[in-house]
Amino acid sequence: MAIIYHEKSQTFHLFNAEISYVFTILQNHQLGQLYFGKRIHDREDFAYLLELKARPMSACAFEGDRNFSLEHIKQEYPSYGTGDMRYPAFTILQENGSRISDFVYSGHTIKNGKPALDWLPATYAEECVLISTCNRTEVYTYVEQENEAETLEVYLQDSVSGTKLILRYTIFKDFPVITRNVRFEQNVDTKVCLERAMSLSLDLPDMNYEMIELTGAWSRERYVETRKLAHGIQAVYSMRGCSSANYNPFIALKRPETTENSGEVIGFSLIYSGNFLAQAEVDTYNITRVTIGIHPENFSWQLEKGDSFETPEAVMVYSKDGLNGMSHIFHRLYQSRLARGKWRDLERPILINNWEATYFDFNESKILEIAECAKQLGIELFVLDDGWFGKRNDDTSSLGDWYVNLEKLPNGVSGLEKQIEKLGMKFGLWIEPEMINKESKLYKEHADWVLNTPNRNMSHGRNQFVLDFSREDVVDGIYDQLENVFQDAPISYVKWDMNRSMTEVYSQAASPEEQGTIMHKYILGVYRLYEKLIARFPDILFESCASGGSRFDPGMLYYAPQCWTSDDTDAVERLKIQYGTSMVYPLSSMGAHVSAVPNHQLLRNTSLAMRGNVAYFGAFGYELDITKLKEEEKEVIKEQVAFMKQYRKLLQYGTFYRLSSPFEGNVTAWMVVDKEQKTALVGYYRILQRVNDAYHRIKLQGLNKDYCYYVTVLEEDIYGDELMNIGLVVSDASSGENHEKYDGTNGDFQSRIYKLTAVCDE
């Protein structure tokens, strides 16, 4: 790993064992992009990559020189208006009304490690250090590791506006990753206004890519869509105030020949939970410009002397090993260098949540009845969902009133928690701290705490309104209520929900000039509340939720190491949702539950086996009234819980491979392999029964070619190279003559888990 500055050619080269990133100082003292991709040799001068050439009708920077036009130069952090006609990375409005700027190189520093960002989530560098040994027990702590990463800061200055621009790049030793963000500083008395501030811009030399995005809506989040790049703009975005179920803050560019397991792909991910824009612009010379950052719509940020603004962190991943290779990098980075705290590396508890069992209709005795049954089945954590506070009996009241409903829980949350603890289980609680109902004590006292434009209608969503988390007093007021609840009862787990998008965004406490800051400050307020609660209650496992997966993004993983993947708990639909989510996010981050049938979202009937076999691949739990199950169904749950406990570490922290896509056919398959390649689990899911079907095999991945594995279901010893090159035989045993039941493995919505255990190695 190294960051080298070649002073003679004024070229920067960031590289490790797998990647190189090269850019240079141009003759106009701005920065030009030269290369990002597979590791190349270092050299003094890469100037041949600039490809300066005269183009007709171009605006050129130097009189008498028709070769140097910013319209045709690949740049690091481009502006608009001085020759480049493409979308810029930033726009600064100055006091005289001009948006023209000229940021030129003024210096740089190279430092070990990775600095934190101001009030923003970001990846970090760290190492595990042994601090003591007591009674043969080793005690470790995590400390910042300067040798794990290097950071380059490049300083640019605009002499007219007096604004300083700091471009920050970090390269890790063990990840083919570059992280980037930008800081704007105003150093003179002149005021400026940021109208656009992307975290990353990257100009690529051709357009021979297909763009992958994760798109959808509530209950069908993060579907995988692929489109070939074309001239013009192709983009995903959110202007909902959250990252959204509609589009995830991620895109990838892959070569047309790239598959899950081979070929080149570049992934772009934004560590942010609010409005974002991720776009690929292809100009008519086939140059591809990728930008990602805060969405410029409804964004403006005034800077006076001494003020600064820092953009969220963007992550660029390069893989030469296909989409699975890209995902493995994101998984390792986000699981180990983004998620933090006690629960980062721990196996997640098997839980039961009462929401789909009771909805709002529960009391203490009903909750204890479910908990007692859950304990008998081996479940470890009970989570009390919506309805425990204020006068909450439906979704029309009490959000904002975070005190216990004594009519439902006469002994309070603490009394219920003590009884759950006596059963030998941990206790968790649902909250939605960012929202308020008009029918609440808080609204009567603080109607001005709601985001609402004066003299305009207030739109509601789910009968609720959005608190103004751009205000510190609002955040502190909600914190005080939650602190009282959490310290009254030893809460082990918190499900943090957020059930609507923002509308009529206006803060009663901000000036007219500050209204363009509110949506970003809101997200900073959410992060601030998380920080305060985590600092006060470091042992709590937080799970983020946003009407399912509407805020499943890297920013949330910094505070909550797992997220409720979707409100859609149907096993068949979850195949698509979890498959798409795995493009970026590790299995340990995906909340996945077994729910009731008919499914409450689709009314589909699937077996307990099918539901369990899908939900195993994530943070596993149940969400149904288990007291109403038949005894044989409870026995199945006991077996599922025992299986999950046995393989939980593998399922949540192993290396995950996508094998067959639910978006491309009738069969979905995936697998997870342990670090030693000694144990693997393969999930195979067939949606519809085929009549007199053909023969089928699935080629496995990630095994040791020289190990011989015992494969359950087939009950055969098979070498790893056979399973990867010939494939796992998954042919349907039925010939279509289903007049007799065949061991429960025929019919629609079928699944199998193949366990592979190394029995010998050579």
Side-chain angles (χ1 to χ4, degrees):
M1 173 193 64
I3 299 175
I4 295 176
Y5 176 62
H6 295 288
E7 190 165 357
K8 184 177 180 181
S9 64
Q10 294 187 299
T11 300
F12 297 90
H13 186 187
L14 295 74
F15 61 89
N16 59 25
E18 298 184 69
I19 60 170
S20 285
Y21 189 94
V22 185
F23 64 96
T24 191
I25 302 171
L26 299 168
Q27 65 192 77
N28 68 344
H29 306 295
Q30 296 180 15
L31 301 182
Q33 218 305 303
L34 298 180
Y35 175 77
F36 176 53
K38 189 175 180 179
R39 166 72 185 272
I40 57 176
H41 285 95
D42 186 46
R43 58 186 291 163
E44 169 64 33
D45 193 347
F46 290 90
Y48 74 94
L49 294 174
L50 278 174
E51 299 181 271
L52 298 179
K53 183 178 180 180
R55 297 283 186 181
M57 309 306 294
S58 297
C60 300
F62 303 105
E63 290 191 31
D65 181 357
R66 294 186 59 200
N67 293 325
F68 193 92
S69 171
L70 291 175
E71 182 177 1
H72 305 292
I73 292 176
K74 296 182 287 295
Q75 297 170 66
E76 273 299 288
Y77 202 67
S79 64
Y80 171 80
T82 57
D84 192 346
M85 306 302 176
R86 295 165 289 182
Y87 273 88
F90 69 98
T91 304
I92 300 178
L93 175 64
Q94 294 145 65
E95 281 188 325
N96 66 357
S98 171
R99 292 177 173 83
I100 301 301
S101 60
D102 182 21
F103 281 91
V104 298
Y105 172 81
S106 64
H108 72 271
T109 59
I110 299 171
K111 60 185 75 172
N112 288 329
K114 186 176 188 299
L117 305 187
D118 292 341
W119 289 106
L120 283 165
T123 56
Y124 54 87
E126 184 180 83
E127 71 171 341
C128 186
V129 176
L130 176 67
I131 57 173
S132 66
T133 302
C134 182
N135 297 326
R136 299 183 180 179
T137 299
E138 295 179 338
V139 179
Y140 291 87
T141 189
Y142 293 100
V143 298
E144 182 178 348
Q145 169 58 277
E146 291 189 346
N147 296 324
E148 189 182 64
E150 275 191 295
T151 297
L152 167 68
E153 291 185 348
V154 181
Y155 310 119
L156 306 171
Q157 190 79 33
D158 182 76
S159 59
V160 175
S161 68
T163 309
K164 182 179 182 180
L165 188 58
I166 303 172
L167 303 183
R168 183 181 291 136
Y169 307 76
T170 294
I171 185 166
F172 289 84
K173 180 175 68 174
D174 297 323
F175 298 96
V177 165
I178 302 284
T179 68
R180 294 176 59 178
N181 91 301
V182 182
R183 183 179 177 89
F184 296 84
E185 296 179 352
Q186 188 61 12
N187 298 319
V188 299
D189 288 331
T190 306
K191 286 194 290 188
V192 298
C193 180
L194 286 179
E195 297 180 324
R196 184 184 187 96
M198 295 289 105
S199 296
L200 167 156
S201 182
L202 178 68
D203 286 351
L204 297 168
D206 66 83
M207 62 176 289
N208 187 30
Y209 291 101
E210 294 174 341
M211 187 174 107
I212 295 176
E213 64 190 64
L214 303 178
T215 185
W218 175 83
S219 209
R220 51 177 176 85
E221 298 90 341
R222 289 172 301 286
Y223 279 25
V224 180
E225 287 196 6
T226 304
R227 55 173 128 166
K228 184 173 177 57
L229 287 190
H231 292 123
I233 299 291
Q234 29 266 292
V236 297
Y237 68 96
S238 174
M239 296 189 292
R240 296 171 171 267
C242 59
S243 52
S244 89
N246 303 73
Y247 303 104
N248 200 257
F250 157 83
I251 58 173
L253 298 185
K254 76 176 187 70
R255 296 301 187 182
E257 66 274 13
T258 296
T259 67
E260 283 284 7
N261 303 306
S262 67
E264 183 180 60
V265 59
I266 305 174
F268 303 88
S269 176
L270 186 67
I271 303 178
Y272 188 60
S273 306
N275 291 351
F276 76 91
L277 173 65
Q279 73 178 29
E281 176 185 7
V282 181
D283 71 12
T284 52
Y285 293 91
N286 299 344
I287 300 299
T288 300
R289 172 170 291 175
V290 179
T291 52
I292 191 169
I294 295 173
H295 202 295
E297 186 70 23
N298 293 321
F299 171 82
S300 61
W301 200 279
Q302 302 278 342
L303 294 177
E304 299 184 12
K305 185 177 181 179
D307 290 342
S308 64
F309 179 83
E310 192 153 38
T311 71
E313 182 170 273
V315 177
M316 298 192 305
V317 163
Y318 173 81
S319 169
K320 66 183 186 305
D321 299 317
L323 295 172
N324 270 318
M326 176 198 71
S327 298
H328 294 162
I329 299 161
F330 275 123
H331 292 180
R332 289 192 296 117
L333 182 73
Y334 284 175
Q335 190 278 316
S336 66
R337 293 297 179 268
L338 180 62
R340 303 174 297 161
K342 170 182 174 178
W343 287 98
R344 186 190 74 175
D345 303 319
L346 292 182
E347 298 170 21
R348 307 297 161 73
I350 299 171
L351 64 83
I352 185 162
N353 184 297
N354 72 296
W355 179 241
E356 290 192 12
T358 67
Y359 294 101
F360 295 106
D361 186 17
F362 64 83
N363 54 34
E364 186 176 85
S365 62
K366 177 59 180 177
I367 294 302
L368 289 173
E369 181 187 11
I370 296 173
E372 288 167 359
C373 184
K375 174 59 179 177
Q376 294 169 9
L377 301 179
I379 295 171
E380 300 162 319
L381 167 69
F382 184 92
V383 180
L384 182 62
D385 211 283
D386 195 355
W388 59 268
F389 52 92
K391 299 178 180 179
R392 183 82 161 173
N393 294 307
D394 55 36
D395 63 12
T396 64
S397 77
S398 300
L399 284 175
D401 295 345
W402 299 108
Y403 53 86
V404 68
N405 183 335
L406 293 175
E407 292 183 8
K408 291 184 178 181
L409 304 176
N411 296 301
V413 171
S414 61
L416 177 62
E417 186 277 334
K418 288 183 175 64
Q419 294 182 78
I420 298 289
E421 288 274 356
K422 283 182 182 178
L423 294 174
M425 299 177 70
K426 296 297 184 181
F427 180 73
L429 207 58
W430 177 97
I431 59 172
E432 191 173 2
E434 301 161 60
M435 302 295 157
I436 190 171
N437 293 119
K438 285 187 176 180
E439 288 297 320
S440 66
K441 181 173 179 287
L442 185 66
Y443 187 82
K444 290 179 175 62
E445 294 175 352
H446 294 289
D448 63 310
W449 282 14
V450 177
L451 288 172
N452 177 37
T453 303
N455 305 313
R456 302 291 184 187
N457 178 61
M458 286 175 64
S459 303
H460 76 87
R462 201 172 179 251
N463 299 301
Q464 61 193 50
F465 302 88
V466 184
L467 288 169
D468 184 359
F469 265 44
S470 73
R471 296 173 54 171
E472 288 192 11
D473 58 336
V474 176
V475 172
D476 290 342
I478 297 300
Y479 170 80
D480 290 342
Q481 289 194 63
L482 294 176
E483 182 188 34
N484 289 334
V485 174
F486 294 175
Q487 69 185 3
D488 188 45
I491 307 296
S492 299
Y493 166 102
V494 169
K495 180 180 179 181
W496 181 318
D497 211 341
M498 191 281 294
N499 276 302
R500 63 156 295 185
S501 302
M502 294 186 198
T503 56
E504 294 84 46
V505 176
Y506 188 97
S507 173
Q508 306 294 324
S511 68
E513 295 76 21
E514 293 173 315
Q515 296 304 322
T517 71
I518 300 306
M519 296 185 90
H520 178 59
K521 285 182 176 179
Y522 176 97
I523 294 299
L524 297 182
V526 173
Y527 294 157
R528 182 170 169 268
L529 181 57
Y530 261 115
E531 288 283 12
K532 286 168 66 74
L533 289 169
I534 290 168
R536 177 67 176 82
F537 305 99
D539 293 333
I540 289 179
L541 169 58
F542 284 91
E543 178 178 88
S544 63
C545 177
S547 54
S550 294
R551 203 163 60 185
F552 199 131
D553 59 63
M556 285 291 103
L557 292 186
Y558 186 74
Y559 305 99
Q562 67 187 54
C563 181
W564 183 224
T565 315
S566 175
D567 279 343
D568 191 337
T569 55
D570 173 68
V572 176
E573 284 301 309
R574 270 303 185 105
L575 292 172
K576 293 179 180 178
I577 294 167
Q578 291 174 211
Y579 188 97
T581 303
S582 75
M583 279 285 170
V584 186
Y585 304 101
L587 295 185
S588 60
S589 70
M590 293 188 221
H593 294 177
V594 175
S595 63
V597 290
N599 177 263
H600 288 196
Q601 290 76 49
L602 281 84
L603 299 181
R604 180 181 280 136
N605 286 285
T606 55
S607 67
L608 258 177
M610 175 73 168
R611 284 171 273 159
N613 288 346
V614 175
Y616 286 145
F617 292 83
F620 183 74
Y622 292 86
E623 193 155 340
L624 72 166
D625 191 346
I626 53 177
T627 65
K628 295 180 179 178
L629 297 180
K630 299 175 182 177
E631 287 304 314
E632 53 266 33
E633 292 175 313
K634 292 179 181 179
E635 288 301 316
V636 172
I637 289 180
K638 282 184 182 179
E639 294 171 4
Q640 290 177 339
V641 169
F643 177 87
M644 189 64 192
K645 289 178 179 178
Q646 181 179 359
Y647 293 103
R648 177 163 39 189
K649 184 175 182 179
L650 169 62
L651 286 162
Q652 294 174 354
Y653 295 100
T655 303
F656 181 75
Y657 293 85
R658 295 177 297 273
L659 304 176
S660 181
S661 171
F663 300 101
E664 297 176 359
N666 191 48
V667 166
T668 302
W670 53 45
M671 66 183 293
V672 63
V673 186
D674 70 359
K675 184 178 180 181
E676 294 78 21
Q677 298 176 297
K678 294 291 184 71
T679 307
L681 295 172
V682 179
Y684 171 82
Y685 312 91
R686 189 191 65 228
I687 307 307
L688 298 179
Q689 174 74 56
R690 300 294 193 190
V691 176
N692 199 11
D693 200 9
Y695 300 99
H696 296 283
R697 297 172 182 172
I698 299 288
K699 290 184 179 180
L700 304 189
Q701 299 292 327
L703 302 175
N704 188 309
K705 64 182 179 62
D706 296 319
Y707 287 4
C708 187
Y709 296 89
Y710 175 72
V711 183
T712 63
V713 183
L714 299 183
E715 298 183 354
E716 293 277 355
D717 291 343
I718 307 175
Y719 277 97
D721 58 355
E722 298 175 80
L723 291 165
M724 292 188 291
N725 295 311
I726 300 173
L728 176 71
V729 175
V730 293
S731 300
D732 188 357
S734 168
S735 66
E737 297 178 356
N738 286 313
H739 46 79
E740 291 184 6
K741 184 176 181 181
Y742 183 79
D743 195 28
T745 59
N746 57 342
D748 296 340
F749 314 134
Q750 294 298 322
S751 63
R752 306 171 205 148
I753 299 293
Y754 295 85
K755 291 176 279 186
L756 281 63
T757 307
V759 293
C760 67
D761 58 86
E762 294 184 353

